[in-house]
Amino acid sequence: MSISAESAESAAISTERAPRPQQAVHGRLPSLTGLRFIAALLVFCYHSSLALPALNPFASEDVSDGYRWLSSNAGWAGVSFFFILSGFVLTWSAREGDRPRHFWRRRFFKIYPNHLVTWVLALALLSGSATQWWQAVPNLALVHAWIPEFTVFLGVNPPSWSLACELFFYLCFPLFLRWIKRIPAAHLWRWAAGVAAAVIAVPALAYLLLPANPPMPEGSPASVWQYWSVYMLPPVRALDFVLGMLMARIVLTGRRFTVKPLPAALACVAAYALSLYVPWLYALDAVFVVPMALLIPAVALMDTSGRPSVLRSRAMVWLGEVSFAFYMVHLILLNVVRDILGPDRYFGTAAGIGVLLAQMLLTLGVAWLLYAAVEKPAMRRLGRSRKEPARNESARKEFA
């Protein structure tokens, strides 16, 4: 869930009016950084609610089932947000003259060091003895999301599948950006609507055209082929990324955008409630794509206009900065804690909530270590070559 951070300092452009057409709006977007942690927390809630593997801590069957039902689509919602956000912020922060090879280097050293460390941790702590080379090697190379085999695309450290998608997005970004910049500003909304419609159409095509076997584990109401093609396949998920790019261009070129953050957030909540009742493949992405595509620019404009935002607080921005590391390490730690507790140890409601909070705090602590000891040093020392022109600090602190 590819996925980086801005610094805690906010330097927003002060303007109370929407930009004129073709007038670029640039500025730091700390509220989106803070919002990233909420998306990462959704993924944490999803995985911590699972019964198989037995990560759900509640002894009461009713409480366990309720938590699992309430969190059942949270991980998918978080990933959809990350993919749209990635396209938005990379387009927002793109500068003329930035060569593709410099962009690719920065993005590679943003995501790969954390992936390498968590790949080793996952093999050492969880699945080393049970993982075959044909599962581990594609995962290490970040090509496993291209392989329609359940034990491959969700092997080793399962959240890493999203990095395989992000790597594909990054490779395509210079070409995508060139194409999107050629779209007349007056036509951007039509293109955004068309891409959103394509995302919504993907599940229908999967139900219609793809085989219903082999089935997904745990009785999920779709086949491995259907799930992989809708949720995992990088070119399909690139639709979310491109939609984010289009929404950024809509704002940067001064197209009319009147959606406010609160209505957009309420629309996301309503979409999540709807996702609990729609056919399963639609809940993987399609139901979230429109409200999230509206929420992200609405929050961005809140920053550029200087309006107050709790998401810009120092605590929220710090949480957003470590959210990529949090995302990468959380499932490993959930499994380690379950192994320490024992497979048959479950808790009452209050104690179970305490266990979840303790796991979240543990994950935050390890995520901070990963961020401070691996992610930041790798970006600082390896993310820019000597031949790359120096960029100002604000421009270099991109996030995806």
Side-chain angles (χ1 to χ4, degrees):
M1 300 6 3
S2 339
I3 316 168
S4 60
E6 281 192 305
S7 76
E9 300 175 358
S10 62
I13 296 175
S14 276
T15 172
E16 294 297 330
R17 296 178 299 175
R20 294 185 302 273
Q22 303 303 327
Q23 177 185 354
V25 176
H26 287 290
R28 304 288 298 286
L29 304 175
S31 293
L32 285 180
T33 302
L35 197 57
R36 289 180 60 255
F37 178 72
I38 296 175
L41 190 59
L42 289 175
V43 182
F44 174 90
C45 290
Y46 167 71
H47 284 132
S48 64
S49 73
L50 294 177
L52 291 173
L55 301 180
N56 194 315
F58 296 106
S60 166
E61 187 173 336
D62 290 340
V63 175
S64 177
D65 289 347
Y67 179 50
R68 185 166 61 252
W69 177 78
L70 188 62
S71 303
S72 58
N73 297 339
W76 305 328
V79 169
S80 294
F81 174 85
F82 283 132
F83 285 167
I84 298 170
L85 178 69
S86 184
F88 184 93
V89 298
L90 289 179
T91 303
W92 183 274
S93 61
R95 296 295 184 270
E96 295 294 337
D98 188 16
R99 295 184 178 182
R101 68 175 182 271
H102 296 154
F103 169 81
W104 291 328
R105 181 185 181 118
R106 292 195 305 273
R107 302 322 302 165
F108 178 82
F109 284 109
K110 176 61 196 175
I111 66 171
Y112 199 79
N114 277 2
H115 168 60
L116 179 59
V117 171
T118 52
W119 183 85
V120 172
L121 286 175
L123 286 177
L125 298 176
L126 301 179
S127 60
S129 61
T131 300
Q132 304 297 317
W133 70 267
W134 49 268
Q135 299 167 313
V137 172
N139 190 291
L140 179 63
L142 288 180
V143 296
H144 51 308
W146 293 88
I147 301 172
E149 166 58 48
F150 184 83
T151 60
V152 174
F153 59 65
L154 286 181
V156 190
N157 185 25
S160 66
W161 74 267
S162 65
L163 299 192
C165 290
E166 288 282 359
L167 188 61
F168 175 72
F169 304 162
Y170 298 158
L171 289 172
C172 296
F173 177 74
L175 184 60
F176 285 165
L177 186 62
R178 186 184 309 169
W179 288 345
I180 289 174
K181 281 187 173 182
R182 292 177 181 173
I183 299 174
H187 296 168
L188 285 168
W189 271 114
R190 298 178 201 171
W191 276 84
V195 172
V199 174
I200 295 169
V202 165
L205 294 174
Y207 278 126
L208 181 65
L209 301 176
L210 295 178
N213 287 297
M216 285 285 291
E218 303 178 36
S220 299
S223 70
V224 170
W225 280 95
Q226 291 168 335
Y227 175 75
W228 170 76
S229 66
V230 172
Y231 189 61
M232 296 276 181
L233 186 58
V236 171
R237 297 316 301 264
L239 292 170
D240 299 76
F241 182 80
V242 169
L243 180 59
M245 295 181 67
L246 288 165
M247 298 309 296
R249 289 294 296 165
I250 285 170
V251 176
L252 290 169
T253 57
R255 295 296 90 196
R256 182 175 176 81
F257 189 91
T258 59
V259 179
K260 302 300 181 185
L262 181 57
L266 292 176
C268 290
V269 173
Y272 189 83
L274 178 63
S275 76
L276 299 173
Y277 299 98
V278 298
W280 192 64
L281 290 181
Y282 288 93
L284 300 180
D285 186 26
V287 75
F288 305 117
V289 68
V290 171
M292 288 184 176
L294 296 175
L295 176 65
I296 289 168
V299 171
L301 286 172
M302 182 171 61
D303 276 347
T304 61
S305 67
R307 297 196 299 272
S309 167
V310 67
L311 295 170
R312 261 200 318 270
S313 68
R314 179 172 296 182
M316 286 303 300
V317 171
W318 180 85
L319 289 170
E321 287 179 334
V322 302
S323 62
F324 175 43
F326 181 95
Y327 173 84
M328 291 300 296
V329 80
H330 78 279
L331 188 54
I332 298 172
L333 294 178
L334 284 172
N335 279 280
V336 168
V337 170
R338 170 47 68 188
D339 288 344
I340 292 172
L341 293 175
D344 300 320
R345 184 87 179 274
Y346 294 93
F347 303 88
T349 302
I353 293 172
V355 169
L356 288 175
L357 290 175
Q359 289 173 318
M360 185 185 72
L361 291 174
L362 173 64
T363 303
L364 275 175
V366 175
W368 177 80
L369 289 175
L370 188 61
Y371 172 71
V374 177
E375 185 177 331
K376 282 184 68 177
M379 280 291 290
R380 183 173 62 249
R381 298 171 186 172
L382 303 173
R384 186 165 66 90
S385 69
R386 294 180 179 179
K387 294 182 179 180
E388 181 180 355
R391 311 170 76 202
N392 63 51
E393 188 66 12
S394 176
R396 286 199 307 110
K397 289 180 178 177
E398 299 171 4
F399 63 105

